[in-house]
Amino acid sequence: LTLLGSLVIVVSSKTGSMILNAADGVLGLVWKVLTWLSHLPHTVWYQQIPSAWIFITAIVGVIFLLFPVGLPGRYLGLIWLLPLGLYVPNNPQGGEVWLSLLDVGQGLSAVVQTEKHVLVFDAGAHLSDNFDMGNSTVNPFLHTLHTKKIDMLVISHGDNDHIGGANAILKEFPVASIKTSVPEKFVSHADLCLQGMAWEWDGVNFSFLYPSNDNLHLNNNSSCVLLISNGNHTILLTGDIEKLAEEELVKNQKSYLPADVLVAPHHGSKTSAVNSFIAAVHPRDVLFPVGYRNKYHFPHDTVIKKYSDLHSVAYDTVHSGAIQYKIYANGDLMTPLLYRQVHKHYWNN
């Protein structure tokens, strides 16, 4: 219709305009159908391409399939595409736990994997109606893991940089359980992440050390604190707790605090980092989830020095990008994989 209208309008502007208006109406109808189709489940196929050879075989397969109809060997392209379709990423084995601290700018989101379970701790920020870290970072990462469902979503507290991306995650994946200190902020059912709650997945132990019922409604100091251990090594996720909560943990949970990997309380703010808490945790590595040139100047130099004095190795998401640890059942704790080192690009320098 568009081509016909463009030709006819040269002879008759009135008739040509009528044909072009008809083309506009048909396009509007088609657009509505396409919009409806785009919201159907499984409309988008997410596929991780883990290595160059799989990418090359996929390209060869596409070239074969694009050969003219009737050309011998055209459907050999399907065989060349098999590595792409059959690839399954590595997963932890029984008793192993993998931690991926994602780079969500000034915010927090971490993904914890065991052999058959996935836990997401916080969801990054919602920055505008068209952009949030749940859609832009967390969901794509989960798709690269071939995640079909999330066994538990933990939202430590109600600040935007921790809860903002939660709705995007809930829309994208079925979530079996939500634990949080702010259940009232969820339309779907959510439970409190109370001290003493514990469970075991695939030989890995999980427990909430904080808050108690007495510590709710304290904003940052109500943050869920999650301890993860496979019996050999321990990870401690602390949300945005500050000095009050740290002192409470030292007082009531000191024997559980030692950890090999600590995600620093409140992004390394001066409002946290009580000396007794840092000494009790005494992490091998401390991770700071922070944004580039963030307005809060996190992590603060005095906080970094406190961990340095204990010979803890510090990493932050500004310089490292996403940070991944793999804790193996035999007791090995590997050196972290730093995204900006593994995937070097000139814009990461």
Side-chain angles (χ1 to χ4, degrees), residues 52-71:
W53 75 268
I54 288 182
F55 179 72
I56 292 169
T57 59
I59 293 294
V60 173
V62 170
I63 291 173
F64 268 97
L65 292 174
L66 291 176
F67 282 166
V69 176
L71 195 70

Side-chain angles (χ1 to χ4, degrees), residues 114-191:
T114 64
E115 184 180 18
K116 298 177 182 177
H117 296 84
V118 173
L119 179 147
V120 177
F121 189 98
D122 283 341
H126 178 86
L127 301 172
S128 73
D129 290 340
N130 299 315
F131 185 78
D132 72 46
M133 289 299 176
N135 265 328
S136 68
T137 303
V138 184
N139 287 346
F141 178 75
L142 291 171
H143 281 301
T144 67
L145 304 179
H146 285 207
T147 302
K148 303 303 180 185
K149 70 180 181 72
I150 296 170
D151 297 281
M152 185 178 294
L153 173 64
V154 179
I155 300 297
S156 63
H157 66 299
D159 283 359
N160 176 50
D161 59 329
H162 294 253
I163 196 175
N167 284 336
I169 296 172
L170 290 168
K171 288 179 182 178
E172 190 79 8
F173 295 96
V175 176
S177 175
I178 302 173
K179 304 294 184 185
T180 180
S181 62
V182 286
E184 68 277 4
K185 291 185 177 289
F186 290 88
V187 175
S188 50
H189 180 73
D191 297 311

Side-chain angles (χ1 to χ4, degrees), residues 57-325:
T57 59
I59 293 294
V60 173
V62 170
I63 291 173
F64 268 97
L65 292 174
L66 291 176
F67 282 166
V69 176
L71 195 70
R74 182 180 179 216
Y75 291 103
L76 288 174
L78 295 175
I79 297 175
W80 283 90
L81 285 172
L82 283 177
L84 181 64
L86 297 177
Y87 170 77
V88 177
N90 292 329
N91 286 315
Q93 301 302 305
E96 295 180 0
V97 56
W98 295 1
L99 168 72
S100 299
L101 181 66
L102 303 183
D103 181 6
V104 292
Q106 185 52 45
L108 174 62
S109 184
V111 175
V112 180
Q113 299 168 259
T114 64
E115 184 180 18
K116 298 177 182 177
H117 296 84
V118 173
L119 179 147
V120 177
F121 189 98
D122 283 341
H126 178 86
L127 301 172
S128 73
D129 290 340
N130 299 315
F131 185 78
D132 72 46
M133 289 299 176
N135 265 328
S136 68
T137 303
V138 184
N139 287 346
F141 178 75
L142 291 171
H143 281 301
T144 67
L145 304 179
H146 285 207
T147 302
K148 303 303 180 185
K149 70 180 181 72
I150 296 170
D151 297 281
M152 185 178 294
L153 173 64
V154 179
I155 300 297
S156 63
H157 66 299
D159 283 359
N160 176 50
D161 59 329
H162 294 253
I163 196 175
N167 284 336
I169 296 172
L170 290 168
K171 288 179 182 178
E172 190 79 8
F173 295 96
V175 176
S177 175
I178 302 173
K179 304 294 184 185
T180 180
S181 62
V182 286
E184 68 277 4
K185 291 185 177 289
F186 290 88
V187 175
S188 50
H189 180 73
D191 297 311
L192 287 168
C193 55
L194 292 176
Q195 171 188 316
M197 294 179 61
W199 66 99
E200 183 267 335
W201 284 343
D202 311 315
V204 179
N205 296 308
F206 296 76
S207 59
F208 286 116
L209 302 184
Y210 188 90
S212 66
N213 280 310
D214 298 332
N215 305 121
L216 297 174
H217 311 299
L218 296 176
N219 197 17
N220 286 345
N221 280 313
S222 294
S223 294
C224 310
V225 175
L226 179 64
L227 181 73
I228 305 166
S229 175
N230 73 341
N232 296 307
H233 296 286
T234 304
I235 298 166
L236 188 62
L237 301 169
T238 58
D240 270 1
I241 61 170
E242 298 176 320
K243 293 178 179 179
L244 184 151
E246 290 178 340
E247 290 170 347
E248 185 80 10
L249 282 163
V250 172
K251 178 181 177 182
N252 298 318
Q253 303 285 340
K254 187 174 182 179
S255 62
Y256 298 102
L257 290 180
D260 300 282
V261 180
L262 169 68
V263 179
H266 201 190
H267 316 277
S269 165
K270 288 192 299 184
T271 61
S272 62
V274 169
N275 290 334
S276 58
F277 175 81
I278 294 176
V281 179
H282 203 152
R284 188 197 83 169
D285 295 351
V286 57
L287 314 183
F288 296 102
V290 290
Y292 177 63
R293 291 189 176 181
N294 64 86
K295 65 181 179 180
Y296 309 105
H297 305 292
F298 295 157
H300 198 273
D301 290 343
T302 58
V303 175
I304 295 173
K305 185 177 185 305
K306 287 183 179 183
Y307 287 103
S308 176
D309 289 344
L310 287 179
H311 306 291
S312 299
V313 180
Y315 300 94
D316 66 64
T317 52
V318 170
H319 296 95
S320 302
I323 305 168
Q324 185 178 65
Y325 286 85

